[in-house]
Amino acid sequence: MSNFSRQIRFTSSMIRGLQYRISRSFTTIEGHRPTIIHKQGLDILHDPWFNKGTAFSMTERDRLELRGLLPPNVMSNEQQIERFMADLKRLELNARDGPSDTNSLAKWRILNRLHDRNETMYYKVLIAKIEEYAPVVYTPTVGLVCQKYSGLFRRPRGMYFSAADRGEMMSMVYNWPADQVDMIVVTDGSRILGLGDLGIQGIGISIGKLDLYVAAAGINPQRVLPIMIDVGTNNEALLKDPLYLGLQQHRLDGEEYIAVIDEFMEAVFTRWPHVIVQFEDFQSKWAFKLLQRYRNSYRMFNDDVQGTAGVAIAGLLGAVRAQGKPMIDFPKQKIVVAGAGSAGIGVLNAARKTMARMLGNNELAFESAGSQFWVVDANGLITEERENIDDDAKPFARKTKEIGRQGLREGASLVEVVRFEFPNCTVFNMHCTVTDTDIDTDVREVKPDVLLGLSAVGGLFSKEVLEALRGSTSTRPAIFAMSNPTTSAECTPEEAFSIVGDNIIFASGSPFSDVELGNGHIGHCNQGNNMYLFPGIGLGTLLSGSRVVSDGMLQAAAECLAAYMTEEEVLKGIIYPSISSIRDITKQVAAAVITEAIEEDLAEGYREMDARELRKLNKDELLCYVENSMWNPDYPTLIYKKD
């Protein structure tokens, strides 16, 4: 079929899609079509979905009985943004509650007020200034917001399901006004970032994540739903706080806990069968169990386990490229991982699978890949001797015989592990076969290439640990201080560059400024934030119509992100792109996810683009389809109609 024919077919498909959207009864603000509303005057100005503020045209003011209710000057979108930014700079200090309230929290409060009165303008500002405001609506500021949420609460956003609602959830979901929901982010508040159990206040993380789904992935804000599942809290301060808004009881556990989550999942998928549910900040105890329980039955994924893993894999592959090597050399990397919680184990599993796939994807490849990791948790180095070892960590426990020859021991400290010699497990490129003789445990002086922190322990990479890493034989050792928020980062970029050296690769979970190294050289601080992947994973899953989020789709997302940077950029030590490019990054990631879903025969299509039509799209057409499916914050023309 000629390219011209394909373009005609794709254009026809998009026309059919436009016709479909116009015929839908659910009111949205997609596209540029008029929107029918059933209110006038002040009722419109008080509705954040339809309020345009000073951007209402004079004809709309007459038609909607707004003349005289607004200043006479009609302002453009650009003027509104400029005016808001000027107000923001002026009001930041006035919005502070006192010396404990940071400047970022002041910005959050002002942005939140805009969100309350003009939803379209809010997302217009967020998209236009995403690099500045992503750290405000998401990490690190969202951590502070969650800690203070009971005091910051002004109007409800999202839904709350609690242990007290058992038996009622199926009817409760119909209290939400939208007949279509594409994306849910749900948390139980048990492990918010690195801050621990924040109970019902954790809903702030669900709200922040969905703001990024709208800004980065173009998910329609009328079709997102933040949800908090309140099963109690074990935070004694909250249990004693008379102003706490959640259930003041200890957390449910065991079968009682699972029963609540089961009822919730059944309820939301009964009302919205095609929704995608992202699990967020569930404690490690439940994160893996719930993921395995639901992932083959529902469209869901866990961002802490799978999203963090994907971003870390992209960064690890980027670090290999920064050494001037091809990504296929990844299985040769020696990696010390600090942290064995849900995020740490998620990264370990994904990294081992990636290495094994490069080595031939057989049993010996998995064994060889597993030998590249040394895992240290709060109790030290994890080995076979560890009592009551978590099942998820077992595959990465070092063999007793092996560490005995080296003089290491169960529970060895992080600095001991980083300083010590490693067994040189021979690995080859993907064109070679791994055999028993390839697994060589002769001891050589091979220090870790990568120090990866997912511990949620601020300052864990101490001066002593970083000094030990200076002995690495890697041409560019990499340090990933991935824990959020900023206070939980294992080290700062200044510490890493000053102690280990100028030639390192540095990445963190929260944003830090680049480091001036002198003589015009810059130490780049790469933010390995999950927002590079989860919006694209969600959008790609939505548009593909896949009934599950497969490992292959997640792997495709990670590899797409890893390949996004140019060779010139990675050789400078830049392994993650600028947040300012997030819409394009998300488009590329979503297309990669859709392509993988098609290859795995999981794609069922979305709306007018059925699976058969989806499979016919070439790469450029697919990217065009993704871009045209992304919502943009444009004011619709409003037309009043009586009920």
Side-chain angles (χ1 to χ4, degrees):
M1 181 180 291
S2 69
N3 287 335
F4 179 71
S5 298
R6 293 175 68 88
Q7 289 167 359
I8 289 176
R9 189 194 67 249
F10 184 62
T11 302
S12 299
S13 176
M14 295 309 295
I15 290 172
R16 290 196 304 273
L18 179 60
Q19 292 170 339
Y20 174 84
R21 290 188 186 100
I22 290 175
S23 68
R24 290 178 67 234
S25 60
F26 180 73
T27 302
T28 74
I29 46 179
E30 282 185 288
H32 301 283
R33 63 185 178 83
T35 297
I36 306 298
I37 59 174
H38 305 289
K39 56 181 69 176
Q40 290 179 304
L42 287 174
D43 288 340
I44 294 176
L45 299 181
H46 293 160
D47 187 333
W49 287 117
F50 303 118
N51 181 27
K52 303 181 187 181
T54 54
F56 279 109
S57 67
M58 295 309 294
T59 56
E60 281 186 313
R61 296 183 191 202
D62 287 336
R63 187 168 62 244
L64 301 172
E65 298 184 359
L66 294 172
R67 189 181 284 268
L69 300 181
L70 292 163
N73 188 15
V74 177
M75 306 195 80
S76 67
N77 294 335
E78 293 73 21
Q79 287 175 311
Q80 280 191 313
I81 292 177
E82 184 180 352
R83 180 171 173 269
F84 175 79
M85 296 302 296
D87 287 343
L88 179 63
K89 300 300 181 186
R90 185 174 66 253
L91 294 173
E92 275 175 7
L93 292 179
N94 295 334
R96 301 174 78 171
D97 286 337
S100 65
D101 200 356
T102 68
N103 194 52
S104 292
L105 186 56
K107 289 183 180 180
W108 179 89
R109 291 161 64 89
I110 295 167
L111 284 168
N112 197 52
R113 291 168 191 166
L114 176 62
H115 198 178
D116 286 345
R117 66 180 183 268
N118 188 333
E119 188 111 7
T120 304
M121 186 66 188
Y122 172 77
Y123 287 113
K124 194 178 290 287
V125 169
L126 185 56
I127 292 171
K129 304 286 183 180
I130 188 67
E131 198 162 17
E132 180 176 357
Y133 291 136
V136 177
V137 301
Y138 186 44
T139 183
T141 306
V142 72
L144 185 58
V145 170
C146 289
Q147 288 177 308
K148 296 173 173 281
Y149 200 79
S150 286
L152 293 170
F153 180 85
R154 293 295 179 271
R155 64 185 292 253
R157 262 187 228 292
M159 292 193 73
Y160 300 82
F161 295 83
S162 77
D165 297 318
R166 282 176 282 188
E168 302 294 335
M169 295 183 191
M170 189 66 74
S171 61
M172 286 172 61
V173 292
Y174 289 91
N175 293 338
W176 189 251
D179 288 330
Q180 182 175 347
V181 172
D182 291 334
M183 199 77 221
I184 287 173
V185 175
V186 61
T187 185
D188 70 351
S190 57
R191 190 204 64 85
I192 299 299
L193 300 173
L195 302 171
D197 185 347
L198 296 183
I200 202 170
Q201 300 182 155
I203 195 171
I205 196 74
S206 296
I207 295 169
K209 287 271 186 174
L210 285 169
D211 277 347
L212 295 182
Y213 267 111
V214 176
I219 303 294
N220 190 309
Q222 294 190 27
R223 298 202 293 266
V224 301
L225 175 54
I227 289 180
M228 173 71 209
I229 300 179
D230 185 1
V231 293
T233 178
N234 293 334
N235 184 323
E236 293 300 324
L238 295 179
L239 289 172
K240 297 174 182 176
D241 184 354
L243 301 181
Y244 176 60
L245 297 173
L247 293 179
Q248 290 187 297
Q249 63 183 48
H250 286 99
R251 286 187 171 274
L252 295 183
D253 204 356
E255 292 302 317
E256 280 190 304
Y257 175 85
I258 290 176
V260 171
I261 310 299
D262 279 350
E263 184 180 348
F264 161 76
M265 292 293 280
E266 183 181 3
V268 295
F269 279 94
T270 296
R271 184 174 184 199
W272 302 294
H274 303 293
V275 72
I276 301 164
V277 176
Q278 175 182 314
F279 277 54
E280 186 69 28
D281 285 352
F282 283 71
Q283 61 183 313
S284 300
K285 175 181 178 178
W286 291 112
F288 282 101
K289 291 178 182 176
L290 296 177
L291 178 62
Q292 296 307 318
R293 186 176 183 86
Y294 302 128
R295 68 173 307 189
N296 295 320
S297 304
Y298 297 113
R299 296 174 95 188
M300 61 81 63
F301 68 102
N302 184 304
D303 186 50
D304 304 299
V305 176
Q306 296 164 299
T308 299
V311 171
I313 294 301
L316 291 168
L317 293 173
V320 175
R321 292 178 65 199
Q323 296 170 8
K325 301 174 183 177
M327 287 193 285
I328 201 66
D329 277 1
F330 178 49
K332 299 178 182 179
Q333 297 284 294
K334 307 286 187 180
I335 302 173
V336 172
V337 178
S342 59
I345 296 298
V347 170
L348 284 162
N349 283 326
R352 183 177 63 162
K353 286 179 183 177
T354 303
M355 287 184 176
R357 187 171 54 80
M358 292 177 173
L359 293 170
N361 219 23
N362 54 41
E363 186 175 342
L364 284 170
F366 267 89
E367 184 177 352
S368 179
S371 69
Q372 301 301 106
F373 303 97
W374 294 70
V375 186
V376 180
D377 67 2
N379 297 313
L381 178 66
I382 297 177
T383 73
E384 293 177 326
E385 296 179 7
R386 176 72 60 91
E387 294 181 3
N388 301 318
I389 186 171
D390 190 282
D391 289 340
D392 297 314
K394 272 184 182 178
F396 303 99
R398 302 302 298 197
K399 291 180 170 36
T400 303
K401 181 179 178 182
E402 174 190 82
I403 63 169
R405 278 201 305 268
Q406 299 171 354
L408 277 178
R409 68 187 191 288
E410 159 64 33
S413 69
L414 179 61
V415 69
E416 289 177 299
V417 174
V418 173
R419 182 184 292 133
F420 215 81
E421 299 173 346
F422 285 83
N424 184 38
C425 300
T426 306
V427 292
F428 301 95
N429 64 37
M430 66 186 300
H431 303 294
C432 297
T433 302
V434 181
T435 66
D436 288 317
T437 57
D438 293 331
I439 303 173
D440 180 4
T441 54
D442 290 336
V443 175
R444 299 183 186 178
E445 290 187 355
V446 181
K447 297 298 180 73
D449 301 285
V450 178
L451 182 57
L452 176 60
L454 289 157
S455 65
V457 179
L460 180 66
F461 295 168
S462 63
K463 180 180 179 182
E464 190 178 15
V465 170
L466 294 174
E467 285 177 340
L469 189 62
R470 281 200 305 226
S472 172
T473 57
S474 171
T475 55
R476 298 191 83 172
I479 298 170
F480 288 75
M482 300 294 281
S483 293
N484 288 315
T486 309
T487 53
S488 296
E490 284 77 10
C491 69
T492 67
E494 289 85 358
E495 293 166 341
F497 282 104
S498 64
I499 296 173
V500 185
D502 294 355
N503 202 40
I504 64 168
I505 302 296
F506 183 86
S508 59
S510 288
F512 286 95
S513 298
D514 290 340
V515 178
E516 294 282 349
L517 301 176
N519 298 320
H521 296 292
I522 300 293
H524 292 283
C525 179
N526 298 276
Q527 187 188 2
N529 199 300
N530 288 17
M531 73 177 289
Y532 286 123
L533 284 191
F534 71 76
I537 293 169
L539 181 61
T541 302
L542 178 71
L543 298 181
S544 72
S546 175
R547 303 300 298 172
V548 296
V549 183
S550 71
D551 286 338
M553 291 160 68
L554 296 164
Q555 183 72 29
E559 291 183 2
C560 176
L561 178 59
Y564 192 85
M565 308 303 297
T566 66
E567 285 299 315
E568 182 181 3
E569 288 170 323
V570 294
L571 292 176
K572 290 179 180 178
I574 305 172
I575 58 173
Y576 290 117
S578 168
I579 294 293
S580 62
S581 303
I582 192 62
R583 295 275 286 198
D584 185 63
I585 297 164
T586 298
K587 179 179 70 175
Q588 300 285 343
V589 170
V593 170
I594 295 170
T595 300
E596 180 63 25
I598 293 170
E599 290 180 2
E600 294 184 30
D601 201 28
L602 294 172
E604 298 182 8
Y606 176 69
R607 294 185 180 176
E608 74 284 355
M609 185 66 71
D610 62 28
R612 185 174 59 85
E613 291 293 317
L614 197 59
R615 290 187 180 94
K616 294 177 182 177
L617 302 183
N618 63 31
K619 183 177 179 181
D620 289 339
E621 290 170 340
L622 182 58
L623 287 170
C624 182
Y625 168 59
V626 173
E627 185 172 1
N628 287 334
S629 300
M630 296 170 75
W631 177 86
N632 286 293
D634 298 321
Y635 289 130
T637 299
L638 300 179
I639 299 175
Y640 172 70
K641 182 179 180 181
K642 280 188 177 183
D643 286 326

